[in-house]
Amino acid sequence: QQQVKQSPQSLIVQKGGISIINCAYENTAFDYFPWYQQFPGKGPALLIAIRPDVSEKKEGRFTISFNKSAKQFSLHIMDSQPGDSATYFCAARMWDTGNQFYFGTGTSLTVIP
Amino acid sequence: DAGITQSPRHKVTETGTPVTLRCHQTENHRYMYWYRQDPGHGLRLIHYSYGVKDTDKGEVSDGYSVSRSKTEDFLLTLESATSSQTSVYFCATKPGQGASNQPQHFGDGTRLSIL
């Protein structure tokens, strides 16, 4: 059973466009929501993270929007660039089980020049 | 990065053989994790450790064991490898409770093929 559901599985965006990736969860014990970026042959690297008491967090071109009542959160990449082409994972941390993290299934983003 | 080294980076072995993967960290992080990454499944937790000699199972722990005798090393062992364990394995670390909102840091993975 997938604790964190991520969509879409793949995404193609024109350079300069907005990339949007969505995640949803059910378990209210999650208390920290990071997004990771992964390039081929490398491990995931933290991109941006948010706590559920904040509705939005922005770092440069990357924004997380968080809807606590709907149990949904999304990553927006503004002015998408070819260098943003990578796989993106959302995740959720369960505070009461020894800091376990649950990951979405990933979104492969391709930004076309 | 967080100073995480995984070894070996690539391994090909046969069904039924034992395999040990090593994760070494230089950051003195309290938590260490082993994940496997498979297409369509994302990252799934195998085992994790919350201190020396303190480990617990993740969601896909069957067929795997771990050991942590030192803060810096976390070993993953496949006692008798099966083809279903062909995957890319990632180690991750995280600071302790005093930095509870700190994310995990990942190594670059071990690609394991079991023939």
Side-chain angles (χ1 to χ4, degrees):
Chain A
Q1 183 184 356
Q2 195 72 30
Q3 293 260 14
V4 180
K5 296 181 180 176
Q6 183 172 347
S7 63
Q9 184 176 354
S10 62
L11 183 61
I12 300 174
V13 174
Q14 293 277 358
K15 178 182 176 181
I18 302 173
S19 304
I20 301 174
I21 303 170
N22 300 299
C23 287
Y25 65 97
E26 285 298 325
N27 197 324
T28 56
F30 290 140
D31 70 336
Y32 176 69
F33 301 86
W35 282 89
Y36 286 86
Q37 180 188 56
Q38 184 181 29
F39 294 105
K42 292 292 189 179
L46 179 73
L47 193 61
I48 187 172
I50 198 168
R51 285 185 58 87
D53 52 352
V54 176
S55 61
E56 185 176 282
K57 184 174 182 180
K58 183 176 181 180
E59 290 185 2
R61 296 185 293 110
F62 301 93
T63 300
I64 300 177
S65 296
F66 192 90
N67 186 330
K68 187 174 181 179
S69 60
K71 297 179 188 171
Q72 296 175 348
F73 58 111
S74 59
L75 174 69
H76 296 236
I77 306 174
M78 311 300 287
D79 187 25
S80 298
Q81 299 297 313
D84 296 331
S85 297
T87 300
Y88 293 81
F89 293 95
C90 60
R93 192 270 303 274
M94 192 171 292
W95 66 273
D96 61 350
T97 58
N99 276 283
Q100 284 194 51
F101 286 76
Y102 294 85
F103 285 79
T105 52
T107 296
S108 176
L109 172 64
T110 302
V111 181
I112 300 172
Chain B
D1 209 341
I4 301 170
T5 304
Q6 291 187 233
S7 59
R9 293 295 314 279
H10 303 272
K11 186 173 183 66
V12 180
T13 190
E14 294 184 346
T15 301
T17 61
V19 177
T20 296
L21 308 182
R22 180 182 184 235
C23 178
H24 179 79
Q25 58 136 335
T26 59
E27 299 295 314
N28 200 35
H29 285 174
R30 176 183 175 187
Y31 292 91
M32 297 186 76
Y33 307 79
W34 276 109
Y35 292 90
R36 59 179 290 173
Q37 185 175 35
D38 305 288
H41 291 278
L43 290 146
R44 292 181 292 174
L45 182 65
I46 303 171
H47 282 278
Y48 68 101
S49 169
Y50 45 96
V52 174
K53 293 190 166 84
D54 291 324
T55 66
D56 207 346
K57 296 179 180 180
E59 61 181 312
V60 290
S61 59
D62 287 348
Y64 302 94
S65 62
V66 291
S67 65
R68 190 170 179 200
S69 58
K70 299 185 289 184
T71 298
E72 57 266 35
D73 289 326
F74 193 33
L75 303 180
L76 177 70
T77 297
L78 292 65
E79 299 290 347
S80 178
T82 68
S83 59
S84 64
Q85 294 175 311
T86 292
S87 186
V88 181
Y89 290 85
F90 286 98
C91 173
T93 71
K94 181 187 169 308
Q97 287 298 118
S100 60
N101 287 337
Q102 290 296 315
Q104 295 176 316
H105 302 270
F106 284 84
D108 283 338
T110 293
R111 184 172 295 275
L112 178 64
S113 297
I114 300 165
L115 307 177

